[in-house]
Amino acid sequence: MVPRLPNHSIAKILAIFLIFLGWDSRLAHGQEDAVSPALLSLRIVPEDIHLSGLNPSQQVLLLGRYSDGLERDLTGSSLLLLDSAEVAAIEEKGRLTALAEGNATLHAQMANQSATASLTVQSPTAPPPFSFQHDIGGILTKRGCNDSSCHAGVKGRGGFKLSLNALDPREDYRWIVKGGTYQVMSMESAGPETPRVDLSQPENSLLLRKPTLLLPHGGGERLTAESSDYHTLLGWIQAGAPYERKEPEVVVERLTLFPEERVLDARGIHQVLVTAHLADGRTRDLTHRASYQSGNEEVVTVTDSGRVQARSPGETTIIVRTAGHTVSARFGVVSEPLQANPSPPPHNFIDDYVFGKLSRFQIPPSPLSGDAEFLRRVCLDLTGTLPPPGRVREFIASRDPQKRRKLIDALLDSPEYVDYWTFRFGQLFRVAAGAVGGAEHAYTYWRWVWENIAQNKSYREIALERLAAQGYGGASRHFLSYGEEAKAADIMPEEVRVFLGRRLDCAQCHDHPYEQWSQDQFWGLASFFGQISRTEWTGFGAAVLFDDPAGRQPDFGESAETVKVIHPRRKQLVKPAFLDGQAIASGGNGHPRREFARWVTAHPYFAETLVNRMWGYLFGRGLVDPVDDFRSTNPPTHPGLLKALAEDCRRHGYDLKQILRRITRSRTYQLASTPRESNREDTLNYSHFIPKPLEAEVLLDAISQVTGVPETFENGQGGQAPPGTRAIQLEVPDIYPSDFLQMYGRPNLLQIPEVEASPSLGQALHMLVGTTYTEKISKKGGRLDRLIQRNASHREVIEELYLAALSRLPSPREVAELESVLSTSSDKKRAWEDLIWSLITSREFAFNH
Amino acid sequence: MLLKMIAAALCLVAPLSAQGAETVTEPKLLSHFPIGGQQGTTFKVEISGAALQGAHAVWFEGGELSASILKLEKLQDAYKEDEKKPEDYLGKAVKADHQAVFEVRVPKSASLGLHLFRLVTPRGLSNALGLQVVSEPIISETARPHQTAAASQYLSVPAVVNGRLSEKGQRDFYAFRVPQGEELLFSVRSDLGPSRTYQAQAGITLYRSSASWFDPNRVVRMVVDDPALSWEPFHRYERTRSTGRFALFRHVSHRFESPGRYFLSVGTFTGAGDPNHGYQLRIVRRQSTAPQPVLGKLAHPDQGDWLERDSATLRQLGSFQRPLERNRLALLHQRSGKAPAIGELSASTESASTEGSSSSLSATHASRLDPTSEVEPNNSLDRPGTVKIPGLIEGRIQTPGDIDLFRFRAAAGQKLAFEIETPGVSPPHFNPWLKLLDEGGNELVSNIYMEYGGDGDDVNKTVERKTIVTIEKAGSYTLQIRDLTSVQGGPRFRYRLLARPQVPHLGRVEISLGVTPSLSTLIDKTDRINLEAGQAKEMVVVCEKEEGFEGNVVLTVDNLPPGVQAWVSTAAGWTETLMRGIQYRPLGVEVVSPRHHRPQRSATTLVFWASPGVPITGAPRFLQLMARPVVDGRAGPAVPAGRIPFLAVGPPEGTQVMTSRR
């Protein structure tokens, strides 16, 4: 059949008509009035302040709670008063400095509201315990010296290498005090070792002369000789540049921020407090020693001292680095605070978190979706399948108050659920002939995924099986790469990314440039996979994977590093070690990957990664997004919800169906996709369901379903998939080339897929002339042909096609206008073909909403 | 590695492209239907093939079946221009230009199994195809489409069906009923014509009803047979004689916990299908846990097949299931060229007085090796079991990670061999890993063999069923056996371990099989000999010399017809590659240990010559290749080394006599 371009007037009219009548334009408009808020209360943070030699100063905040629900930073309003000027002094911006031992009270008063905080000062002149990481590394962080764009870059800068954010202080100490030129793949200095500190003439130290531009410095001026940081560095060198003093180093265990989450009005300013929690239980204010960065400077900017300034409505994070740690706070900016923002009744705990944040961020949620909208959405999300027209009518007509819950359960128990989630996990696990080196390998692997989904096996068990897989079974095929053993350095980061949601790849060759993953950690983890070996029986998919304590035999050239795991810089055999450096014994009859699997599945990251991934599948974006890119600089939008979902997941035994059930039952999931005027800009907080494009395979199946003409999948070996096979049912998808799937973003699975959802010109052209759209419409035996055979009326055709494609009945207006348009055509069949084409090329069809 | 990546990429993007149509000079059978029948019946078989003109008889190798040709016709246009032509596995297109129908008579007493047949034509014998003889009545596949569960053809168990996968992507559905607890054995066998790749073999999938919210007629699969691992051990026929490929015998055994109606489908892994793609499906009740014959076993196997161990180039999973007979040592001695010395003492460990002696066994002893069972616990060096040399142990890997240890004493210079059989589950499911440990528990040798493949950077390992070693120092040694993985074990993970002195002997005799410039050429060449008057044809025979066999091997050919002679010639150049047994090894690297796992090989070229006046009998026969070890100037008994179908033919019309096809 020659592809036909439906370019006559009816098609155009129908297309335009559908755009106007479609869900795109069905917007609800809401107006909220702006009224000046009243101050309701004041508080000082922290309320209990301790100053000492360890912590000689403290940034304090004065906060006011207002009737619009916002808490504002009033610190700069000069409202803070200290009742004893001898004990401490307070600056205008709220920084308290200890003067003498004693107690005092800090007062604030404003608009009939007041607040107090207690102050205790002890041994203010005692020298604080020294920490190279904190005291010297902190300065290097604050001044940007150990930033990834400077000396903490992969190769360092100018031969001088520092670890990112002083993550590896001992290495930093070596390069500063011993000197030398850094090499990526060697522990040795590339040139003579000239110390960067001059103990005999401290002021002549490179460490001081370069950043003060007394010597040329590519990074420009970073210090002035008058600054306190300069004097701290100078004093350290004068003291002999020790790594630690007499007392043991006090390790910073963690950093906390205040606030962790804050909403600002359009003119809002807010100071961030940074508190270091030391290993000995004490705390220290690092607000003025930290480095700050805004995730989106169009939303907020932040000063070197941690003052956040609202710029435009939106939401972003402030990244804070110091003392080898990176943390973040979430800031939102609203244009006009709402006076009334009632939260809808929650369905479950998910809604508590989501609606709670919406309330704090002054974003009203959209109403609950209609039955038809929910039905289509949940069918596509849980089964990748459009509901049949009869089921749509049935569901819409049902008055059962539990019908949504019952539908969710029915879908989760359906074989279509198994098809779809086998497909989804098949993609995640890279079930492809090209990936594992043969269609038989891929098929065996696919079968393992299918069985797990069909049995609803605990995801923890799935992970354990996959990570520790040996022998010939399907899970072990994952360790084949082009038919050979996967390399440890390739497979480990994939496992960590899939199951722990972290991307360690960069740390293979060097410490991670942006995150706190070191090369040692990378190779320690990789070493768990260093004993994978294989026997090959005939090449017919019968490779047996096992862990050979002897390691692989030496081979040559490109894969030499896979023999055993050798640290590329240290040139030493690496023993398997977890992220905390704890090593396990290997060799003998040991099975190191089993240990790794146990560690992974017991790690808190495991459940968080899983629920985040499932959330991402359903909402189109994860609470952390991308779903496998957890990092300190990419924090979750709803950290509390993430933890609660993870805990719920653990409590229910990592039950995939339970996770899906929990989320799809939530009101959050069931909100309408139509935004209000006041939540239209929200893309992060789930105030309305954000439409997401159908995956290529689901879209193709949907077209086949609506037209009633199954796709034919031919493979490159002279065969084809059984008639009626859906795209999501292809067991080894990559042996079935498909222009349509390729065009709509089918991943090649040679690496973990990242779906590209952007529309393309090719897609547009394919809609117009592609065989998927044009040939299926009029094919004999298809839906339209059957309608013609039974001599259906215009109205029957319109209703059936709307139900099949959009899972809803047409509105009376749509029916009336379509009947009117269709009746102008002398060729009824052609007119109906145009109608079906218009439906399956509409956004309402191509998106899940 | 790089080559594999490129190869994998090519596999994905392109079909196996035809490398040009093969010039068919000898008759070639491509397909037949049906592919089997019942004992005591007569039925018609359709065949297609190339260069079949003048075919006048059907020759069954086993002699039990007979047939008459009813029709032979030349096809005018076998394939349309744009139609994909069937290809052999090397990508050569073979075009069917003839179709024939013959009537087969299967006596009631005919052996069950696969009966090979060839067509006899003026150009000579064709390649062989197989007809499966079964005892059960056979029904035909229904003529109506039954490609969905809803349209299934109903079968009453037991059942044998002759069917056809006529179209690409076709899956034929059948329905059947079972009572609770019934265990059924399903097997299917495809037509094994040379146009099929192994992936195109028919396979079985079982389904149960699972009405869904979306589809009330939905079925879901329960069990799928393994597309990669269903070949039957010991069937060398399919790869050595006719198609050059491994045969797949797809079968599934399933116990149905719930009574009711179930479904199965027959289809191919790749979705291949064409009008000549016949299959035979068999469903029977599983009577016991003992292995049951599945479709595809040869009714008349070649007794000349001696499966010593895995070959370096074409490995056979089945070798682990070859029984370690109680008379194993006697069988080895028969191939040693030396009659065992009468009155020699047993070479059990305690009495191994002749250091380095490798054949000091009494015939009496050698003929009886009574197995002893392992006694648990025997998994630590502190508490090993014991084994005598020679000794046959029966044990099992009871649980995942189970290790069995057996200790023995050996003298310095003693040459030992260890052989393993896995009668329950064989590789790749159970991969017995044998190690020989010294007194300190250090590994001296294992049964893992390594070699280099691909472009030299691929390390390939195989688990070997036989390992030989020479003991350097007298003392106590321990055999350790476990599964290669630490995750498998159970009642079916049984093994038999034979520890014995080495017996230098003639191993496998291989006819032109191995790494060659063109495997298909060799297969065609060794599959049969069609010899014209005045013509000479070569055949390379590779003899494997096991366990230090240093004698000579004399090859003779029995049953030559009058006017035909067989001579020994100099070896062809490419046999060096063949003898080396591996494709590539980087210079200066010696990390593989062939002395533990590989025999010495020697190649001989045989030349068959028909005198100009040779009578054209038109009657095919088997030439019997015999191999006779010669040691210390004395010839031992001859052993069968393979049979070769032979036919003396006249020159084809309009063609020149070919004196050599190499």
Side-chain angles (χ1 to χ4, degrees):
Chain A
M1 175 185 171
V2 179
R4 181 174 54 80
L5 177 66
N7 59 352
H8 56 79
S9 57
I10 289 187
K12 285 182 180 172
I13 293 167
L14 287 168
I16 294 166
F17 172 80
L18 287 164
I19 288 169
F20 275 92
L21 282 187
W23 58 282
D24 275 355
S25 61
R26 291 185 281 118
L27 300 174
H29 296 277
Q31 291 292 327
E32 293 89 8
D33 297 327
V35 179
S36 297
L39 178 64
L40 301 179
S41 64
L42 283 178
R43 64 170 174 146
I44 296 171
V45 176
E47 288 185 329
D48 196 7
I49 305 161
H50 292 266
L51 298 180
S52 66
L54 172 70
N55 191 33
S57 69
Q58 172 70 55
Q59 175 68 47
V60 294
L61 302 181
L62 174 61
L63 303 174
R65 169 75 61 189
Y66 284 81
S67 59
D68 60 7
L70 298 189
E71 190 171 50
R72 293 180 167 82
D73 183 356
L74 306 172
T75 312
S77 308
S78 302
L79 298 168
L80 288 165
L81 293 172
L82 204 55
D83 64 0
S84 169
E86 290 116 29
V87 175
I90 185 160
E91 299 170 10
E92 183 187 347
K93 290 181 180 176
R95 188 171 180 182
L96 269 175
T97 306
L99 297 176
E101 284 199 359
N103 297 319
T105 304
L106 196 58
H107 296 272
Q109 186 158 9
M110 184 178 181
N112 297 325
Q113 302 296 328
S114 63
T116 60
S118 64
L119 169 65
T120 305
V121 178
Q122 292 176 319
S123 309
T125 55
F130 174 76
S131 158
F132 175 82
Q133 184 182 38
H134 170 249
D135 291 278
I136 307 303
I139 291 173
L140 299 173
T141 300
K142 177 74 180 171
R143 299 290 171 171
C145 308
N146 59 16
D147 188 76
S148 60
S149 63
C150 199
H151 292 289
V154 171
K155 299 177 180 175
R157 190 60 67 94
F160 180 30
K161 175 76 166 83
L162 292 171
S163 64
L164 180 73
N165 191 18
L167 179 66
D168 191 347
R170 288 205 174 269
E171 277 278 298
D172 295 345
Y173 183 79
R174 172 201 157 168
W175 294 112
I176 292 172
V177 175
K178 285 185 70 179
T181 304
Y182 179 81
Q183 298 185 91
V184 173
M185 300 306 281
S186 171
M187 291 293 286
E188 304 303 318
S189 167
E193 295 187 345
T194 306
R196 293 183 169 87
V197 292
D198 186 339
L199 298 181
S200 59
Q201 293 181 286
E203 290 86 353
N204 283 342
S205 297
L206 284 174
L207 191 67
L208 295 172
R209 290 173 68 80
K210 283 254 183 181
T212 51
L213 286 185
L214 292 173
L215 286 174
H217 183 222
E221 187 180 49
R222 294 281 163 169
L223 282 176
T224 62
E226 296 76 35
S227 67
S228 63
D229 287 342
Y230 178 92
H231 287 286
T232 302
L233 291 174
L234 179 62
W236 172 64
I237 300 168
Q238 286 169 335
Y243 185 77
E244 54 190 19
R245 293 184 186 152
K246 288 178 183 174
E247 66 278 12
E249 184 181 13
V250 181
V251 177
V252 176
E253 284 195 331
R254 63 191 170 92
L255 291 183
T256 54
L257 297 183
F258 181 88
E260 291 181 342
E261 179 188 284
R262 183 65 37 163
V263 179
L264 307 178
D265 61 29
R267 295 170 297 279
I269 292 177
H270 206 297
Q271 174 69 47
V272 175
L273 296 188
V274 184
T275 304
H277 297 260
L278 307 183
D280 60 9
R282 292 181 292 173
T283 60
R284 189 171 178 185
D285 177 26
L286 296 184
T287 302
H288 296 277
R289 309 196 70 162
S291 159
Y292 300 89
Q293 184 185 354
S294 168
N296 185 347
E297 295 203 336
E298 290 185 4
V299 178
V300 296
T301 54
V302 61
T303 67
D304 287 347
S305 58
R307 281 172 70 80
V308 178
Q309 165 82 59
R311 294 296 173 194
S312 62
E315 184 178 339
T316 190
T317 53
I318 297 295
I319 311 295
V320 180
R321 291 191 177 94
T322 188
H325 292 263
T326 304
V327 287
S328 63
R330 211 157 186 94
F331 277 80
V333 178
V334 293
S335 49
E336 289 294 337
L338 300 177
Q339 291 306 305
N341 186 18
S343 282
H347 289 184
N348 59 29
F349 70 85
I350 291 171
D351 302 326
D352 294 335
Y353 287 96
V354 172
F355 296 151
K357 187 178 175 194
L358 286 174
S359 176
R360 291 194 299 278
F361 277 61
Q362 306 263 317
I363 305 171
S366 289
L368 204 62
S369 58
D371 282 345
E373 184 179 16
F374 169 75
L375 174 65
R376 188 177 198 270
R377 181 188 304 166
V378 77
C379 283
L380 286 169
D381 275 340
L382 295 185
T383 65
T385 308
L386 289 171
R391 290 293 194 183
V392 180
R393 288 182 189 274
E394 182 184 295
F395 188 76
I396 293 171
S398 170
R399 294 174 181 272
D400 183 347
Q402 297 296 315
K403 65 180 180 181
R404 292 196 181 193
R405 284 176 159 244
K406 289 178 180 174
L407 173 67
I408 291 167
D409 289 341
L411 295 177
L412 289 173
D413 284 341
S414 70
E416 286 77 10
Y417 163 86
V418 178
D419 292 338
Y420 187 49
W421 289 88
T422 299
F423 158 73
R424 283 201 136 159
F425 279 98
Q427 288 205 333
L428 175 64
F429 290 170
R430 300 197 302 114
V431 177
V436 298
E440 294 85 0
H441 290 315
Y443 177 77
T444 311
Y445 189 16
W446 175 88
R447 208 167 56 172
W448 173 76
V449 177
W450 173 77
E451 285 169 357
N452 285 332
I453 299 298
Q455 296 166 15
N456 194 34
K457 191 181 284 181
S458 154
Y459 191 68
R460 183 171 179 274
E461 291 300 315
I462 294 173
L464 282 168
E465 274 184 29
R466 180 173 127 129
L467 290 168
Q470 293 191 16
Y472 165 69
S476 70
R477 305 300 88 181
H478 160 59
F479 292 108
L480 292 172
S481 174
Y482 300 103
E484 297 181 2
E485 306 93 321
K487 295 177 184 175
D490 294 337
I491 202 73
M492 182 280 291
E494 179 173 354
E495 306 294 15
V496 169
R497 190 169 157 187
V498 168
F499 293 116
L500 298 181
R502 268 73 182 169
R503 300 188 185 188
L504 302 187
D505 309 62
C506 291
Q508 178 177 351
C509 303
H510 46 77
D511 293 345
H512 199 294
Y514 309 114
E515 287 297 312
Q516 300 177 36
W517 305 119
S518 71
Q519 199 177 10
D520 289 349
Q521 285 174 306
F522 180 96
W523 287 100
L525 286 180
S527 188
F528 283 97
F529 298 84
Q531 296 177 4
I532 296 178
S533 193
R534 119 191 163 273
T535 61
E536 185 70 53
W537 285 99
T538 60
F540 291 140
V544 175
L545 273 293
F546 67 107
D547 280 51
D548 185 351
R552 293 174 62 180
Q553 289 300 302
D555 55 3
F556 307 93
E558 59 185 350
S559 56
E561 77 277 11
T562 66
V563 174
K564 285 177 181 172
V565 176
I566 305 293
H567 194 293
R569 288 193 71 228
R570 303 187 196 284
K571 315 297 184 200
Q572 295 168 342
L573 189 67
V574 185
K575 288 187 175 175
F578 300 114
L579 282 179
D580 61 4
Q582 184 193 346
I584 65 151
S586 63
N589 294 316
H591 184 1
R593 285 186 291 119
R594 187 183 294 154
E595 299 301 316
F596 181 82
R598 287 175 181 152
W599 173 78
V600 165
T601 53
H603 200 286
Y605 292 170
F606 179 70
E608 287 185 6
T609 303
L610 171 60
V611 295
N612 186 57
R613 189 180 297 285
M614 302 302 273
W615 184 277
Y617 280 137
L618 295 178
F619 286 98
R621 78 180 310 283
L623 296 167
V624 172
D625 200 71
V627 293
D628 52 7
D629 196 12
F630 281 68
R631 54 191 152 84
S632 55
T633 48
N634 184 32
T637 55
H638 297 69
L641 173 58
L642 183 64
K643 288 198 182 307
L645 279 168
E647 178 54 33
D648 189 52
C649 167
R650 277 189 288 270
R651 204 168 51 245
H652 287 89
Y654 303 89
D655 180 338
L656 294 174
K657 285 188 180 179
Q658 175 59 24
I659 298 170
L660 292 169
R661 184 178 289 114
R662 184 74 77 200
I663 297 174
T664 52
R665 281 184 177 182
S666 72
R667 188 179 190 92
T668 303
Y669 176 80
Q670 297 184 16
L671 290 178
S673 62
T674 311
R676 296 177 187 273
E677 189 59 39
S678 51
N679 68 20
R680 191 178 184 77
E681 300 301 322
D682 169 41
T683 57
L684 297 176
N685 290 306
Y686 310 102
S687 59
H688 58 283
F689 192 88
I690 303 217
K692 51 191 192 229
L694 300 184
E695 295 148 298
E697 291 82 356
V698 174
L699 178 62
L700 180 55
D701 288 345
I703 293 170
S704 300
Q705 202 178 337
V706 172
T707 57
V709 179
E711 184 73 3
T712 299
F713 294 102
E714 301 233 2
N715 60 39
Q717 296 170 345
Q720 69 180 40
T725 301
R726 299 174 59 198
I728 62 168
Q729 292 175 322
L730 292 173
E731 296 143 352
V732 185
D734 60 332
I735 65 172
Y736 298 99
S738 163
D739 290 342
F740 180 93
L741 295 178
Q742 197 75 16
M743 202 178 302
Y744 281 83
R746 171 201 241 184
N748 68 14
L749 302 185
L750 296 180
Q751 51 196 345
I752 297 175
E754 292 188 74
V755 175
E756 176 54 62
S758 312
S760 68
L761 180 62
Q763 292 174 8
L765 290 171
H766 194 74
M767 281 185 191
L768 290 172
V769 296
T771 53
T772 310
Y773 286 93
T774 55
E775 286 189 2
K776 283 178 185 279
I777 289 172
S778 55
K779 193 157 187 174
K780 195 169 173 55
R783 186 184 297 272
L784 205 55
D785 185 50
R786 292 197 299 270
L787 287 167
I788 292 167
Q789 297 302 323
R790 75 170 202 238
N791 204 22
S793 67
H794 281 322
R795 187 184 186 88
E796 287 172 325
V797 170
I798 293 167
E799 284 197 357
E800 164 120 359
L801 293 182
Y802 262 70
L803 288 167
L806 308 182
S807 311
R808 68 177 173 92
L809 284 165
S811 68
R813 184 181 155 205
E814 285 172 322
V815 173
E817 298 208 14
L818 282 170
E819 278 186 322
S820 166
V821 172
L822 292 170
S823 59
T824 63
S825 172
S826 57
D827 186 342
K828 188 168 74 172
K829 177 171 178 285
R830 186 78 177 250
W832 288 354
E833 287 174 3
D834 289 339
L835 172 60
I836 197 169
W837 180 87
S838 302
L839 285 169
I840 62 176
T841 55
S842 70
R843 277 196 82 213
E844 185 174 357
F845 176 77
F847 276 67
N848 187 5
H849 45 83
Chain B
M1 179 67 177
L2 184 62
L3 287 181
K4 285 204 175 184
M5 291 167 68
I6 295 169
L10 288 175
C11 284
L12 288 178
V13 299
L16 197 59
S17 58
Q19 296 172 354
E22 183 182 358
T23 305
V24 181
T25 56
E26 292 194 347
K28 192 166 219 169
L29 301 182
L30 296 174
S31 66
H32 61 311
F33 184 85
I35 63 172
Q38 188 190 6
Q39 287 169 319
T41 61
T42 298
F43 55 94
K44 289 177 184 169
V45 174
E46 295 172 18
I47 58 171
S48 69
L52 303 183
Q53 54 267 42
H56 53 83
V58 181
W59 182 53
F60 282 90
E61 292 190 0
E64 291 186 287
L65 275 54
S66 59
S68 313
I69 295 179
L70 304 178
K71 187 170 84 174
L72 174 68
E73 62 182 13
K74 188 173 171 80
L75 299 172
Q76 292 305 312
D77 184 16
Y79 296 98
K80 295 172 188 167
E81 278 302 310
D82 59 348
E83 191 173 354
K84 185 173 168 60
K85 296 173 175 59
E87 297 161 348
D88 73 9
Y89 80 114
L90 287 176
K92 293 214 171 195
V94 183
K95 184 176 178 177
D97 55 20
H98 280 79
Q99 202 169 41
V101 177
F102 59 84
E103 187 173 72
V104 181
R105 292 172 290 279
V106 184
K108 271 191 172 176
S109 60
S111 306
L112 298 177
L114 197 63
H115 292 252
L116 304 184
F117 69 90
R118 297 168 187 268
L119 229 55
V120 186
T121 81
R123 285 187 177 186
L125 282 173
S126 73
N127 59 311
L129 293 179
L131 271 179
Q132 181 76 36
V133 172
V134 297
S135 58
E136 300 90 350
I138 297 178
I139 59 173
S140 294
E141 176 191 10
T142 177
R144 64 171 170 78
H146 56 120
Q147 295 190 40
T148 63
S152 289
Q153 177 177 358
Y154 184 76
L155 299 178
S156 180
V157 178
V160 179
V161 184
N162 280 334
R164 211 193 295 251
L165 296 172
S166 305
E167 295 176 355
K168 286 196 291 187
Q170 182 171 328
R171 275 187 191 274
D172 288 344
F173 274 81
Y174 298 92
F176 55 95
R177 286 194 167 277
V178 291
Q180 184 174 12
E182 179 99 283
E183 184 172 4
L184 298 181
L185 178 68
F186 306 84
S187 57
V188 68
R189 179 177 171 272
S190 276
D191 172 13
L192 292 170
S195 63
R196 310 265 180 265
T197 66
Y198 76 98
Q199 293 171 316
Q201 302 290 318
I204 299 167
T205 307
L206 299 183
Y207 306 83
R208 62 177 169 80
S209 293
S210 178
S212 124
W213 187 83
F214 294 91
D215 178 3
N217 295 318
R218 176 78 196 245
V219 293
V220 294
R221 78 185 84 196
M222 303 160 62
V223 186
V224 187
D225 66 353
D226 194 319
L229 286 180
S230 303
W231 53 72
E232 183 74 0
F234 302 112
H235 281 281
R236 300 175 60 204
Y237 145 70
E238 303 290 359
R239 68 179 173 83
T240 61
R241 289 289 173 80
S242 184
T243 65
R245 288 187 301 282
F246 287 82
L248 295 177
F249 305 95
R250 310 281 288 270
H251 50 92
V252 166
S253 179
H254 186 74
R255 180 182 166 86
F256 295 85
E257 300 301 337
S258 302
R261 182 180 167 92
Y262 292 86
F263 306 89
L264 73 83
S265 74
V266 175
T268 67
F269 177 61
T270 56
D274 63 70
N276 296 320
H277 199 143
Y279 65 84
Q280 191 173 67
L281 167 70
R282 182 166 175 260
I283 313 174
V284 294
R285 293 186 180 86
R286 184 144 201 157
Q287 304 295 347
S288 68
T289 55
Q292 295 195 4
V294 292
L295 300 180
K297 244 185 161 79
L298 280 177
H300 302 282
D302 186 347
Q303 299 304 320
D305 274 354
W306 170 261
L307 197 60
E308 178 75 26
R309 53 176 155 185
D310 295 344
S311 155
T313 50
L314 291 168
R315 304 171 184 108
Q316 298 169 39
L317 296 172
S319 71
F320 277 91
Q321 287 203 328
R322 190 202 57 185
L324 283 172
E325 309 90 342
R326 293 184 178 194
N327 63 346
R328 175 75 179 150
L329 287 169
L331 291 173
L332 294 174
H333 275 285
Q334 283 177 9
R335 302 174 74 92
S336 71
K338 276 204 231 177
I342 301 298
E344 279 185 5
L345 295 174
S346 161
S348 64
T349 306
E350 291 77 6
S351 57
S353 56
T354 312
E355 291 184 359
S357 169
S358 57
S359 60
S360 52
L361 279 175
S362 72
T364 307
H365 194 137
S367 65
R368 286 193 300 107
L369 275 172
D370 293 325
T372 57
S373 298
E374 64 152 335
V375 179
E376 295 278 4
N378 59 350
N379 55 355
S380 79
L381 284 169
D382 299 337
R383 299 185 63 183
T386 57
V387 59
K388 292 182 176 180
I389 308 290
L392 184 60
I393 300 166
E394 291 184 340
R396 72 182 57 183
I397 303 302
Q398 293 185 322
T399 55
D402 184 21
I403 295 175
D404 293 340
L405 297 166
F406 305 97
R407 186 158 293 164
F408 63 94
R409 293 197 63 79
Q414 195 168 0
K415 293 175 182 292
L416 299 176
F418 308 104
E419 295 186 82
I420 307 169
E421 177 198 350
T422 57
V425 191
S426 55
H429 301 292
F430 173 27
N431 306 280
W433 189 1
L434 182 76
K435 289 182 184 177
L436 178 64
L437 310 177
D438 66 13
E439 289 186 38
N442 303 305
E443 178 182 323
L444 298 175
V445 65
S446 83
N447 69 329
I448 294 186
Y449 170 74
M450 286 174 283
E451 68 177 30
Y452 292 91
D455 46 5
D457 64 355
D458 301 337
V459 182
N460 295 324
K461 297 180 181 178
T462 54
V463 176
E464 300 288 319
R465 69 169 296 282
K466 184 171 96 170
T467 303
I468 63 175
V469 65
T470 300
I471 300 294
E472 292 184 358
K473 186 179 160 190
S476 174
Y477 293 86
T478 305
L479 285 170
Q480 173 188 296
I481 188 166
R482 53 169 288 186
D483 182 51
L484 199 57
T485 76
S486 55
V487 297
Q488 301 196 97
R492 296 173 65 211
F493 283 67
R494 292 183 289 130
Y495 62 84
R496 288 156 64 91
L497 171 61
L498 173 62
R500 61 169 174 82
Q502 291 178 27
V503 179
H505 62 276
L506 169 63
R508 181 170 159 196
V509 179
E510 200 172 26
I511 304 173
S512 297
L513 197 65
V515 180
T516 73
S518 170
L519 189 56
S520 67
T521 307
L522 282 173
I523 291 160
D524 231 20
K525 190 171 167 181
T526 58
D527 175 62
R528 73 272 194 192
I529 294 177
N530 294 313
L531 203 59
E532 298 158 15
Q535 189 183 25
K537 283 187 175 179
E538 297 172 0
M539 175 174 287
V540 175
V541 179
V542 177
C543 295
E544 296 188 341
K545 298 179 175 181
E546 293 281 354
E547 301 173 25
F549 179 82
E550 291 179 341
N552 251 322
V553 180
V554 175
L555 297 174
T556 57
V557 181
D558 293 351
N559 203 29
L560 286 166
V564 176
Q565 297 181 54
W567 302 318
V568 174
S569 166
T570 52
W574 58 265
T575 55
E576 288 177 19
T577 309
L578 181 67
M579 289 166 65
R580 197 167 66 177
I582 55 175
Q583 296 181 42
Y584 182 85
R585 183 188 302 174
L587 289 175
V589 175
E590 188 55 55
V591 292
V592 292
S593 301
R595 67 184 185 279
H596 297 302
H597 304 111
R598 290 290 177 268
Q600 293 294 310
R601 311 179 94 195
S602 66
T604 305
T605 300
L606 288 179
V607 179
F608 295 88
W609 178 73
S611 65
V614 66
I616 308 300
T617 63
R621 64 170 65 200
F622 277 120
L623 305 184
Q624 181 63 55
L625 183 65
M626 302 296 288
R628 185 184 300 271
V630 179
V631 178
D632 298 335
R634 304 182 67 165
V639 294
R643 59 186 188 187
I644 308 154
F646 177 89
L647 188 65
V649 297
E653 290 175 15
T655 60
Q656 291 185 332
V657 171
M658 295 174 67
T659 54
S660 172
R661 295 176 60 228
R662 265 194 43 75

